Amino acid sequence: KNEVEQSPQNLTAQEGEFITINCSYSVGISALHWLQQHPGGGIVSLFMLSSGKKKHGRLIATINIQEKHSSLHITASHPRDSAVYICAVSPDYSNYQLIWGAGTKLIIKP
Amino acid sequence: ETGVTQTPRHLVMGMTNKKSLKCEQHLGHNAMYWYKQSAKKPLELMFVYSLEERVENNSVPSRFSPECPNSSHLFLHLHTLQPEDSALYLCASSPYQGSGGPYNEQFFGPGTRLTVL
């Protein structure tokens, strides 16, 4: 079993729909990261959080430390949101390492 | 130029070639990373440098050789690669704060798409 599990692996939705991507982890962490990767490769950090909730534009990330679970929400989804969304955690036993989820491929149809 | 840059963006090489990937960061960070991303697999950490010293090497084959001449530049020297080494190679940097400090987010370059024939 992977230490970071994401669901779903693939998600296709219509423009305007509310999107939720989930991440569960099994190790102690100092932080959890949500990142976005567009076709072509570049990865962009969306959020880094260790408790509660963060919001940036139409993106919201939440984390429940007790349940070892995080969600990424996209409100009013748009075709430009189509990308791979990756969850990664900073394990509390390393200052450098990130443990990566496999990613969720999101397609938003117009 | 700002952020993290990588060159070349695409590289095709034969199994007997020697080539190098270059990464440069303009963010004033002092930790740099090489990752490998193969199709449908999570990112794999290859090397970590902090203050120009290698601090982690995740059992990477010796045909991959990193070099970090200063805190802004990172190279990955490639020789006698195998077709299974074809992948996207990503460089990242972070403002590492030292032992006991909070972990900071990593900033990624656009990657080099490597094809080994």
Side-chain angles (χ1 to χ4, degrees):
Chain A
K1 189 178 186 296
N2 294 333
E3 292 171 299
V4 178
E5 296 275 0
Q6 281 186 242
S7 62
Q9 287 187 331
N10 295 281
L11 178 57
T12 299
Q14 289 296 130
E15 183 174 356
E17 286 189 37
F18 181 81
I19 303 298
T20 296
I21 299 171
N22 295 299
C23 177
S24 296
Y25 54 93
S26 57
V27 296
I29 68 168
S30 55
L32 182 141
H33 309 255
W34 282 103
L35 306 102
Q36 180 192 58
Q37 186 173 30
H38 278 282
I43 293 177
V44 175
S45 177
L46 299 175
F47 295 103
M48 182 175 73
L49 64 165
S50 54
S51 64
K53 178 179 176 178
K54 287 190 175 181
K55 184 175 189 291
H56 182 70
R58 295 180 294 106
L59 300 178
I60 303 166
T62 63
I63 187 168
N64 184 318
I65 295 293
Q66 286 73 32
E67 295 187 2
K68 295 188 173 179
H69 181 269
S70 175
S71 293
L72 177 69
H73 305 286
I74 305 175
T75 62
S77 59
H78 190 276
R80 65 175 175 267
D81 297 326
S82 298
V84 175
Y85 292 84
I86 307 172
C87 173
V89 300
S90 304
D92 53 16
Y93 56 76
S94 172
N95 286 322
Y96 305 96
Q97 191 175 354
L98 286 178
I99 304 174
W100 297 82
T104 295
K105 185 174 182 180
L106 174 66
I107 297 173
I108 304 296
K109 293 185 174 181
Chain B
E1 197 167 359
T2 59
V4 181
T5 58
Q6 289 186 244
T7 54
R9 296 292 309 275
H10 300 271
L11 178 61
V12 179
M13 59 187 290
M15 293 168 62
T16 58
N17 291 158
K18 289 185 180 181
K19 297 287 184 182
S20 295
L21 309 185
K22 179 182 176 182
C23 176
E24 187 172 358
Q25 59 96 1
H26 307 269
L27 300 168
H29 294 166
N30 52 24
M32 296 186 77
Y33 311 75
W34 278 118
Y35 286 94
K36 176 184 178 183
Q37 187 178 35
S38 303
K40 299 186 187 294
K41 291 175 67 175
L43 269 73
E44 302 171 52
L45 179 64
M46 300 176 74
F47 300 103
V48 181
Y49 277 82
S50 175
L51 299 172
E52 301 145 47
E53 287 189 24
R54 189 191 304 179
V55 295
E56 193 157 323
N57 171 2
N58 283 359
S59 302
V60 178
S62 59
R63 57 185 183 269
F64 295 91
S65 175
E67 179 189 1
C68 187
N70 55 63
S71 60
S72 298
H73 294 86
L74 185 64
F75 295 89
L76 188 63
H77 304 299
L78 316 171
H79 64 97
T80 59
L81 294 192
Q82 305 297 313
E84 60 264 30
D85 297 322
S86 299
L88 180 69
Y89 288 85
L90 289 156
C91 173
S93 69
S94 71
Y96 174 60
Q97 295 189 351
S99 179
Y103 190 91
N104 290 279
E105 63 187 312
Q106 294 180 12
F107 294 77
F108 284 83
T112 296
R113 177 71 62 186
L114 174 67
T115 302
V116 181
L117 301 177

